[in-house]
């Protein structure tokens, strides 16, 4: 049975039940030991009386030897003086039967104690998650809560069959769902993809293509590092990245689009230039630091990818969710379309002047 060590408020519904958990644990394990001891005694008596009955009516010497071995292991059996009635040890049979009946009663009581304790632990866990600050709610608490729910449901036939347990299931579902929502973290996801990457590779040497895309990925990752990304999931020609704030995600996108100008002029070797689309979306998602981004499935992430696909080349297309979280949203303008029912805002990155200045610099350098 799980144990909860965190303090509870005295006004909690399950405060006094929480105080009984150590007693329940103690009674549960003492009961298990008692049941185990009674089972050993019962089976040893059954074997002992069985051997006596068979050995006294048989000429096989090894049965007598086996009886002596049993007596050496369980010497207390030799001290039993039970009367024999008609050649049958009636008191012994009754004694053994009583032991097994007591074991059955103890087993039933242990199941009831275990079930009650699990319900108390579940309610205490929910109550603690209700009162704990969001920042302190770790993924381990989620796993503990899920595990406790599974144990309670598996031990309750009424809940499994839907007989008399529907109300209890609905209450647990609402409480767990509420706490799972509270444990979500507000994040912003940036999706970046290379426009027509397949067409860029046509007619090019594979080594050149591989080198260029490797340099492109390094450029992207370096920008992510500078803006403090949390984690990223890469595809051959794109990436989905997670940031703690909308400002960090948008700043990274701006830096990457600006860097693509110089990258196309000085770094890449294939004929066609790299053009990218950037899409952002923000929202609360169940975030686990130990899990890869690929394992995180949420509508917020899907929407970020959709904004990227419906976005414009060399522009940052963000959802209203991200727009509302920006400290300086002025550069963005409301677009004339929405994606997944969410308004789109666009910032067109004017890199024309930068391209011209870099071109002039390149020409001047070529003269010397």
């Amino acid at each position: 049975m799980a144990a909860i060590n965190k303090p509870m408020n005295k006004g909690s519904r399950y405060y006094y039940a929480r105080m009984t958990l150590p007693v329940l644990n103690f009674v549960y394990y003492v009961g298990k030991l008692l049941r185990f001891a009674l089972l050993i005694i019962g089976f040893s008596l059954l074997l002992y009386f069985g051997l006596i009955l068979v050995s006294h009516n048989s000429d096989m010497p090894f049965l007598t030897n086996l009886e002596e071995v049993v007596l050496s292991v369980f010497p207390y059996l030799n001290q039993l003086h039970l009367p024999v009635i008609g050649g049958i040890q009636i008191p012994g049979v009754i004694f053994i039967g009583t032991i097994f009946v007591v074991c059955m009663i103890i087993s039933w009581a242990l199941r009831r104690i275990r079930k009650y304790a699990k319900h108390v632990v579940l309610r205490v866990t929910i109550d603690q998650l209700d009162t704990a600050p969001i920042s302190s709610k770790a993924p381990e608490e989620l796993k503990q809560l899920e595990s406790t729910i599974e144990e309670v449901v598996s031990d309750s036939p009424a809940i499994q069959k839907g007989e008399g347990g529907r109300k209890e299931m609905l209450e647990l579902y609402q409480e767990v769902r509420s706490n799972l929502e509270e444990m979500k973290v507000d994040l912003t996801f940036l999706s970046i993809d290379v426009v027509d990457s397949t067409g860029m590779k046509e007619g090019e040497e594979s080594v050149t293509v591989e080198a260029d895309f490797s340099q492109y990925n390094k450029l992207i990752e370096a920008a992510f590092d500078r803006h403090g990304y949390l984690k990223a999931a890469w595809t051959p020609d794109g990436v989905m990245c997670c940031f703690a704030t909308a400002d960090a995600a948008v700043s990274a996108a701006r830096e990457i689009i600006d860097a693509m100008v110089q990258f196309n002029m000085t770094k890449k070797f294939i004929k066609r230039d790299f053009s990218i689309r950037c899409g952002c979306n923000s929202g609360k998602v169940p975030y686990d630091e130990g899990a890869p981004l690929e394992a995180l499935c949420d509508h917020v992430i899907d929407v970020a990818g959709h904004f990227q696909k419906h976005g414009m080349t060399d522009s940052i297309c963000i959802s209203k969710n991200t727009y509302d979280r920006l400290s300086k949203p002025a550069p963005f303008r409301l677009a004339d379309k929405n994606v997944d029912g969410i308004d789109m805002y666009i910032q067109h990155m004017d890199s024309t002047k930068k391209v011209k200045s870099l071109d002039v610099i390149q020409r001047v350098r070529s003269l010397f």
Side-chain angles (χ1 to χ4, degrees):
M1 290 183 292
I4 303 296
N5 297 319
K6 296 180 181 178
M8 289 178 58
N9 297 325
K10 289 189 177 181
S12 172
R13 177 183 176 186
Y14 284 86
Y15 173 77
Y16 294 105
R18 165 67 176 84
M19 295 299 99
T20 65
L21 276 179
V23 178
L24 290 175
N25 284 328
F26 177 77
V27 173
Y28 177 78
Y29 289 111
V30 169
K32 289 187 70 174
L33 289 174
L34 179 60
R35 184 185 61 178
F36 179 75
L38 288 175
L39 286 174
I40 293 296
I41 294 173
F43 280 113
S44 61
L45 285 173
L46 186 63
L47 177 61
Y48 174 69
F49 291 132
L51 284 174
I52 290 177
L53 184 63
V54 175
S55 63
H56 291 178
N57 295 277
S58 174
D59 296 330
M60 297 182 179
F62 81 91
L63 291 175
T64 304
N65 295 332
L66 186 58
E67 181 182 342
E68 294 176 356
V69 172
V70 172
L71 287 174
S72 65
V73 177
F74 303 104
Y76 66 88
L77 296 175
N78 198 26
Q79 300 175 5
L80 293 175
H81 301 286
L82 301 175
V84 177
I85 302 175
I88 302 176
Q89 295 173 328
I90 301 296
V93 173
I94 295 175
F95 185 50
I96 294 173
T98 303
I99 289 177
F100 284 111
V101 169
V102 172
C103 286
M104 292 175 61
I105 295 174
I106 293 176
S107 297
W108 175 84
L110 290 177
R111 285 195 297 269
R112 298 291 296 177
I113 292 173
R114 186 168 181 264
K115 180 180 177 181
Y116 176 72
K118 286 181 179 179
H119 276 280
V120 173
V121 170
L122 176 62
R123 293 291 185 172
V124 170
T125 305
I126 291 173
D127 186 53
Q128 288 174 337
L129 291 176
D130 280 338
T131 57
I134 295 176
S135 59
S136 67
K137 297 177 181 178
E140 290 74 14
E141 292 180 319
L142 258 182
K143 295 176 183 177
Q144 180 185 8
L145 182 59
E146 292 172 355
S147 174
T148 307
I149 292 172
E150 289 176 359
E151 290 179 356
V152 170
V153 172
S154 63
D155 288 344
S156 177
I159 293 181
Q160 291 177 358
K161 297 179 181 179
E163 300 173 357
R166 179 175 177 80
K167 183 178 179 181
E168 183 178 4
M169 272 197 301
L170 290 175
E171 290 178 355
L172 288 177
Y173 172 75
Q174 292 296 336
E175 291 181 72
V176 172
R177 182 178 179 184
S178 174
N179 281 284
L180 289 176
E181 287 296 323
E182 290 182 7
M183 293 183 73
K184 290 184 176 182
V185 181
D186 193 87
L187 300 170
T188 297
F189 294 87
L190 169 61
S191 175
I192 301 177
D193 191 60
V194 179
V195 179
D196 191 24
S197 59
T198 303
M200 293 172 59
K201 300 171 185 176
E202 293 180 356
E204 301 286 352
E205 294 183 1
S206 59
V207 176
T208 304
V209 171
E210 183 179 356
D212 281 357
F213 274 86
S214 176
Q215 290 297 318
Y216 163 77
N217 289 337
K218 290 180 180 179
L219 183 151
I220 300 293
E221 190 169 8
F224 288 167
D225 280 332
R226 282 190 288 272
H227 292 277
Y229 82 109
L230 299 177
K231 57 182 64 181
W234 295 83
T235 64
D237 304 322
V239 61
M240 178 72 72
C241 190
C242 172
F243 291 88
T245 65
D247 287 330
V250 170
S251 297
R254 287 171 179 157
E255 179 180 327
I256 291 168
I257 292 177
D258 284 339
M260 293 309 300
V261 177
Q262 185 173 3
F263 178 83
N264 284 324
M265 295 187 67
T266 62
K267 299 291 185 181
K268 61 96 179 176
F269 292 98
I270 59 177
K271 298 181 181 66
R272 291 181 56 178
D273 288 345
F274 280 74
S275 296
I276 61 174
R277 292 190 301 262
C278 297
C280 282
N281 186 42
S282 304
K284 291 187 176 182
V285 298
Y287 181 75
D288 184 355
E289 292 183 0
L293 187 58
E294 295 88 337
L296 184 58
C297 298
D298 196 273
H299 182 64
V300 174
I301 304 175
D302 295 337
V303 171
H306 298 165
F307 267 79
Q308 175 264 119
K309 291 180 180 178
H310 290 83
M312 300 178 63
T313 302
D314 298 329
S315 297
I316 306 174
C317 301
I318 66 173
S319 67
K320 189 178 187 304
N321 302 326
T322 302
Y323 180 85
D324 292 339
R325 289 168 169 78
L326 291 175
S327 58
K328 296 180 180 179
F332 288 91
R333 296 292 179 266
L334 181 64
D336 57 356
K337 63 178 179 179
N338 60 59
V339 177
D340 296 338
I342 304 174
D343 289 336
M344 175 185 284
Y345 289 80
I346 298 178
Q347 179 185 2
H348 297 285
M349 301 295 292
D350 186 10
S351 302
T352 306
K353 294 180 180 179
K354 189 170 184 179
V355 170
K356 289 182 178 179
S357 61
L358 284 173
D359 187 45
V360 170
I361 293 174
Q362 290 287 96
R363 291 181 180 180
V364 171
R365 287 179 177 175
S366 64
L367 295 176
F368 297 94

